[in-house]
């Protein structure tokens, strides 16, 4: 009975079809479907490379270039922080990484609606990326005007909300970098005792570089980066090794 009633409403209630179609085929839905996959890939790549799409000072780890978030090329020397405001840096990297695809999607939207007989005008503003607790929020800051047979419609609120704990992981990475710059090492267990949904790996490399991998055990999302601090020449015990024993 419920199914039959739903069909009858869809067929005979004025305006119901229009509401359904706008939800499925709205400009916002078009852009969201066009952009979301690229946004997810940019966030994934940025996270796996220490917060940068094109790391400048990096360490090659299992085929991936990891940004050094703290680095010293000297022995017996504490590292210097390379990216002081990590979250803001990652936001800029995501914005840069998606800009081309966003432009293509709005151009495609314009072409698609013009084929349907609409006049299309798009006002563009600056895209804003915000890494927030439990999500990444992106405001594409566009306004689309569609005109057809004298009727004009305005669409804004072109937004992307992706569930992601990048906020937590970048904050932890910044904290670990502070430890690296002050003491030459960071202890993952201190963080895992607080954040039970995360596992943090600390992998010491042959050149005294340390690779840190922060992994969400629920989603599998990772943030990984490199650090080289208080390095000792070959033959000397590393302070980080001593602290882990």
């Amino acid at each position: 009975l419920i199914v039959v009633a739903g069909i009858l409403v869809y067929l005979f209630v004025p305006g119901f079809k229009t509401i359904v179609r706008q939800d499925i085929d709205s400009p916002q839905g078009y852009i969201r479907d066009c952009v979301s996959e690229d946004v997810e890939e940019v966030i994934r790549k940025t996270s796996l490379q220490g917060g940068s799409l094109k790391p400048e000072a990096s360490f090659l780890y299992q085929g991936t270039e990891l940004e050094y978030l703290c680095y010293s090329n000297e022995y017996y020397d504490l590292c210097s922080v390379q990216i002081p405001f990590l979250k803001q840096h990652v936001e800029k990297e995501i914005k840069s990484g998606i800009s081309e695809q966003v432009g293509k999607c709005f151009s495609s939207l314009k072409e698609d609606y013009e084929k349907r007989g609409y006049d299309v005008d798009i006002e563009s503003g600056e895209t804003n990326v915000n890494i927030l607790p439990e999500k990444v929020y992106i405001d594409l800051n566009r306004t689309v005007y569609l005109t057809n047979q004298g009727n004009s419609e305005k669409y804004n609120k072109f937004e992307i909300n992706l569930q992601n704990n990048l906020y937590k992981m970048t904050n932890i990475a910044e904290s670990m970098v502070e430890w690296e710059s002050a003491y030459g090492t960071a202890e993952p267990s201190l963080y895992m005792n607080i954040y039970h949904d995360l596992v943090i790996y600390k992998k010491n490399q042959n050149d005294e570089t340390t690779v840190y991998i922060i992994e969400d055990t629920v989603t599998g999302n990772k943030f990984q980066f490199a650090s080289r601090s208080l390095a000792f020449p070959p033959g000397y015990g590393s302070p980080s090794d001593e602290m882990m024993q």
Side-chain angles (χ1 to χ4, degrees):
L1 289 176
I2 293 173
V3 173
V4 171
I7 293 173
L8 292 175
V9 169
Y10 179 80
L11 291 175
F12 298 110
V13 174
F16 188 81
K17 292 182 183 179
T18 302
I19 295 172
V20 172
R21 180 168 178 77
Q22 286 179 349
D23 182 54
I24 295 174
D25 197 27
S26 68
Q28 290 94 336
Y30 185 104
I31 295 298
R32 186 167 53 249
D33 290 344
C34 184
V35 172
S36 291
E37 185 175 341
D38 192 71
V39 171
E40 290 176 355
E41 175 58 23
V42 168
I43 291 175
R44 186 194 70 83
K45 185 176 180 180
T46 304
S47 299
L48 292 178
Q49 297 183 167
S52 298
L53 286 173
K54 297 180 179 179
E56 295 182 3
S58 63
F59 178 82
L60 184 62
Y61 176 73
Q62 295 185 353
T64 300
E65 296 287 348
L66 306 186
E67 184 82 70
Y68 274 108
L69 297 187
C70 203
Y71 183 77
S72 172
N73 63 357
E74 303 290 339
Y75 290 120
Y76 315 112
D77 191 20
L78 291 169
C79 64
S80 297
V81 177
Q82 302 298 298
I83 301 177
F85 302 101
L86 181 60
K87 184 177 79 71
Q88 290 85 341
H89 173 79
V90 175
E91 289 171 343
K92 290 179 181 178
E93 290 292 286
I94 295 172
K95 176 181 174 179
S96 173
I98 68 173
S99 61
E100 183 178 352
Q101 180 65 18
V102 169
K104 289 180 179 179
C105 287
F106 276 99
S107 294
S108 177
L109 172 74
K110 180 178 174 67
E111 292 175 6
D112 184 66
Y113 273 88
E114 285 177 342
K115 290 177 181 178
R116 305 185 201 181
Y118 287 88
D119 292 325
V120 183
D121 184 36
I122 300 176
E123 291 182 356
S124 299
E126 184 177 355
T127 298
N128 295 312
V129 177
N130 292 286
I131 298 174
L132 304 172
E134 305 302 330
K135 70 177 181 179
V136 176
Y137 169 74
I138 301 173
D139 182 0
L140 301 178
N141 202 9
R142 304 292 201 283
T143 301
V144 174
Y145 298 90
L146 301 179
T147 304
N148 182 262
Q149 297 180 352
N151 297 318
S152 182
E153 298 177 355
K154 175 182 176 181
Y155 296 89
N156 50 23
K157 294 189 179 299
F158 289 91
E159 303 168 340
I160 308 293
N161 279 288
L162 291 179
Q163 298 301 311
N164 193 295
N165 61 354
L166 189 56
Y167 181 90
K168 181 191 296 183
M169 291 193 286
T170 53
N171 281 341
I172 291 174
E174 279 193 306
S175 176
M176 299 181 81
V177 166
E178 289 178 6
W179 279 87
E180 283 275 325
S181 64
Y183 304 105
T185 188
E187 181 48 60
S189 63
L190 298 177
Y191 300 92
M192 290 189 288
N193 288 336
I194 300 173
Y195 303 104
H196 302 295
D197 57 334
L198 298 180
V199 58
I200 302 175
Y201 302 97
K202 179 179 182 178
K203 298 182 178 292
N204 297 320
Q205 307 301 305
N206 292 333
D207 70 340
E208 294 289 298
T209 290
T210 301
V211 171
Y212 290 100
I213 303 172
I214 306 169
E215 181 177 358
D216 186 316
T217 57
V218 178
T219 64
N221 293 335
K222 295 179 182 179
F223 188 94
Q224 53 189 24
F225 65 95
S227 176
R228 189 177 190 271
S229 185
L230 206 58
F232 277 66
Y236 286 81
S238 167
S240 59
D241 292 338
E242 295 172 4
M243 288 188 69
M244 293 180 66
Q245 291 178 354

